[in-house]
Amino acid sequence: MTIDRWINLLASITLIEMMLTIGLGTKFSQLLAVLQNWRLVLRAILANYVVVPAAAVGLLFLFNARPMVAAGFVIIAVCPGAPYGPPFTSLAKGDVGDAVGLMVTLAGTSAILAPLLLRWLLPYVTQQQDLHVNTTRMVMTLAVSQFLPLIAGLMVCHRAPSVAQKLQKPASRLCSLLNLALLILILWAQYRMLADIRLTGYVGMLMLVAAALLAGWLLSPPGASNRRTLAVTTAVRNVGVALVIASGSFAGTDAVTATTAYGLFQTIAIALIALVWGKRVCSISTRTELTTA
């Protein structure tokens, strides 16, 4: 088995375990509370499936990206619902309950919407009309590796919460180990391509992070907490799903490298932004309390 097949297999296993872990830690009440807030859901869908992909396409043309690099960035741009959304929202002092509901909603819908968007966007950004993905196969792959494990975890959490609570900690540890193993494997296979990324590449990634944060902020319902929640949730793209798509359809190309590079960059950047954001909120709150005391 080639290294690319190992990456694809490990990415699929990691995604399955990740979605199962998310489901085990999510109550139906959290999901229903978000789904009933249809304005928030519609704004999140618009930000994640329209504005962020549009911003990515614009930046790719601005920087004149190579075809496979463009493919990698478009793939990750259409994949929202990252599991890091809720913890980063917590760092930013946003609404963690809403972040959990949005994460599950976006992760579930991306199994269908991401392949459909890629079918239209990939030939456009790469200028290669023969570059297509098998939409039916991709939907089936993501349904098996993403949607079904998520539903299974949700059902266990709903019907046997004590069992879900016992399973969640070891599942989270296994998820961390699988993500680390996948990262090491990709870095080992792609380190030369990653080392060739130029400064303009990092500038472009920073601009995409900023565009995603701004999209969530501007489209969120009124309220500082709501804005922080949707901004962070929108900015953190689902690297696990993106790697399954990239390694499955474009193994051994710059598409996998671009997906990996942006995944690492966005995780570090948004973690730092959320941390600073949260400290600023605490500082303002403390000053307000001292002023009114």
Side-chain angles (χ1 to χ4, degrees):
M1 186 179 290
T2 64
I3 187 66
D4 294 325
R5 289 184 178 273
W6 278 113
I7 290 174
N8 188 29
L9 177 62
L10 186 55
S12 298
I13 293 172
T14 302
L15 180 59
I16 291 171
E17 210 283 329
M18 188 185 301
M19 291 298 108
L20 180 62
T21 302
I22 289 172
L24 288 172
T26 305
K27 297 178 181 178
F28 271 119
S29 58
Q30 292 175 299
L31 182 57
L32 289 174
V34 170
L35 291 177
Q36 289 172 356
N37 188 352
W38 61 270
R39 286 188 177 87
L40 176 63
V41 173
L42 287 178
R43 288 167 184 260
I45 288 174
L46 179 61
N48 283 275
Y49 291 116
V50 178
V51 180
V52 173
V57 169
L59 288 170
L60 289 170
F61 281 115
L62 177 65
F63 285 90
N64 194 27
R66 298 193 304 272
M68 283 295 100
V69 171
F73 277 102
V74 167
I75 288 170
I76 202 164
V78 301
C79 293
Y84 294 114
F88 286 174
T89 300
S90 177
L91 286 176
K93 306 303 179 186
D95 190 318
V96 178
D98 281 353
V100 170
L102 286 173
M103 172 192 65
V104 175
T105 302
L106 292 169
T109 54
S110 68
I112 297 174
L113 293 180
L116 294 177
L117 285 170
L118 288 175
R119 183 178 180 83
W120 176 60
L121 288 176
L122 280 176
Y124 178 66
V125 298
T126 60
Q127 299 298 304
Q128 296 181 11
Q129 297 304 315
D130 59 338
L131 186 63
H132 291 281
V133 294
N134 188 325
T135 306
T136 303
R137 179 184 174 187
M138 191 179 297
V139 168
M140 293 300 296
T141 298
L142 292 180
V144 172
S145 60
Q146 183 179 357
F147 190 71
L148 292 182
L150 181 61
I151 294 298
L154 285 168
M155 292 302 296
V156 172
C157 185
H158 178 66
R159 295 182 177 274
S162 59
V163 175
Q165 189 174 9
K166 290 179 181 178
L167 290 175
Q168 191 177 5
K169 191 171 183 179
S172 296
R173 289 178 177 175
L174 178 59
C175 185
S176 298
L177 289 173
L178 286 172
N179 274 288
L180 180 61
L182 179 61
L183 176 62
I184 292 172
L185 184 60
I186 291 175
L187 290 175
W188 181 65
Q190 302 276 335
Y191 74 96
R192 288 184 180 176
M193 294 182 186
L194 288 168
D196 289 337
I197 298 176
R198 299 176 182 176
L199 179 60
T200 53
Y202 289 103
V203 171
M205 287 189 277
L206 182 59
M207 291 175 68
L208 184 54
V209 168
L213 282 167
L214 188 61
W217 177 269
L218 293 178
L219 287 170
S220 66
S225 179
N226 289 332
R227 294 188 187 281
R228 291 192 296 273
T229 301
L230 191 53
V232 172
T233 304
T234 301
V236 186
R237 313 312 284 174
N238 198 326
V239 184
V241 177
L243 282 173
V244 168
I245 296 173
S247 61
S249 300
F250 307 109
T253 68
D254 285 344
V256 179
T257 308
T259 302
T260 305
Y262 186 77
L264 292 171
F265 183 86
Q266 67 146 26
T267 302
I268 296 171
I270 298 169
L272 292 173
I273 291 169
L275 185 61
V276 172
W277 212 344
K279 287 185 176 181
R280 185 173 179 273
V281 171
C282 289
S283 176
I284 294 172
S285 178
T286 301
R287 288 200 302 268
T288 303
E289 289 176 1
L290 290 174
T291 302
T292 57

